[in-house]
Each structure stands twice: as C-alpha cells, then as structure tokens.
Amino acid sequence: MAITLVNPTGLPEIDVYRQVSVATGSKLVFIAGQVAWDAEGTTVGEGDLAAQVEQCYLNVGTALAGVGASFDDVAKLTVFVVDWTPDKMPLLLEGISRAAGKMKVTPAPPATLLGVAALDVPEHLVEIEATAVID
C-alpha cells in the first residue's frame, strides 16, 4: 500500500477521517469531482443528500478501480456540499457509511469539506474529488 493514514499526537482524532496521509507510491492519480450520476449520466437521489453522497463515493470507487486503485490508495478527499450547514452532517455520514458498506472499505483519508453556493447543475447537492497514490 502506498498510503499510510496517521492521527499525530496533539491533533484531534476525527471518526470519519485521519489528519495526515503519507504517500510512498510513485504515481499520482487525480479523480475529477464526482457527482451523483449513474453510469448513464442520470442524477441519483435528487433532493436526498445522503443518497447523493453515497453515489459520489461509489463513483470515486469506480474511478479508482478503473486505474487499478482503491480507497486504500487515496491520500486526500475534497467534499463540496451545496448550502452546507452543520445540521447536514448526519446525512453526509449516512451516505459515506452506506457507500463504505457496499464497497467494503473504510474511506478515512484526510478530507476537506467546503460549503458552496452551487455545483454544475441545480439537482447536484455534493461533489467529491480525490487524489490517490499508487505504485
């Protein structure tokens, strides 16, 4: 594995991600922001943040698999949520949990969550991009 996830002493331990990733691989993989589209480009879970988060994570997983990688190789995630407020956290975590269960992974790389005014189309509530490192 090219990625080691760490919670250094002196930083808070967060349940859903680690504070630091150390990459030792030789190839960088940049996954474009994934939205809640199925394989045909139809939006999944319109109006349902948890369903869209789940689909975004599944799409990231599909993109990673397409280049021989997995969530174990992800060094960093960036999550963009339309009109983010802290009360949406349970829905975000639910979507992550459902996707993790389907993929049988624990996606816990360092992550940044950003609230945004809008995404590419009005029905998309979340977009997730990933950076991975592989050998």
Side-chain angles (χ1 to χ4, degrees):
M1 229 182 328
I3 301 294
T4 302
L5 301 178
V6 181
N7 272 324
T9 302
L11 293 176
E13 288 193 25
I14 309 297
D15 290 340
V16 296
Y17 67 88
R18 303 301 172 265
Q19 296 283 2
V20 176
S21 65
V22 178
T24 57
S26 58
K27 295 180 187 175
L28 294 176
V29 178
F30 298 95
I31 306 295
Q34 296 298 303
V35 294
W37 279 330
D38 64 14
E40 287 74 42
T42 302
T43 297
V44 173
E46 191 166 336
D48 182 342
L49 180 61
Q52 289 202 15
V53 169
E54 177 183 5
Q55 186 64 45
C56 289
Y57 268 83
L58 294 173
N59 289 349
V60 169
T62 298
L64 289 164
V67 295
S70 73
F71 267 97
D72 289 337
D73 301 305
V74 174
K76 175 80 169 62
L77 291 173
T78 304
V79 180
F80 303 90
V81 181
V82 174
D83 297 325
W84 174 258
T85 55
D87 63 311
K88 294 180 181 179
M89 185 61 79
L91 295 171
L92 179 79
L93 296 176
E94 178 185 336
I96 294 169
S97 178
R98 291 188 335 210
K102 285 183 178 178
M103 294 185 290
K104 297 181 179 25
V105 300
T106 304
T112 298
L113 185 139
L114 298 167
V116 296
L119 292 170
D120 59 330
V121 295
E123 56 268 17
H124 289 156
L125 304 175
V126 63
E127 183 169 331
I128 301 172
E129 65 181 26
T131 302
V133 180
I134 57 177
D135 292 322

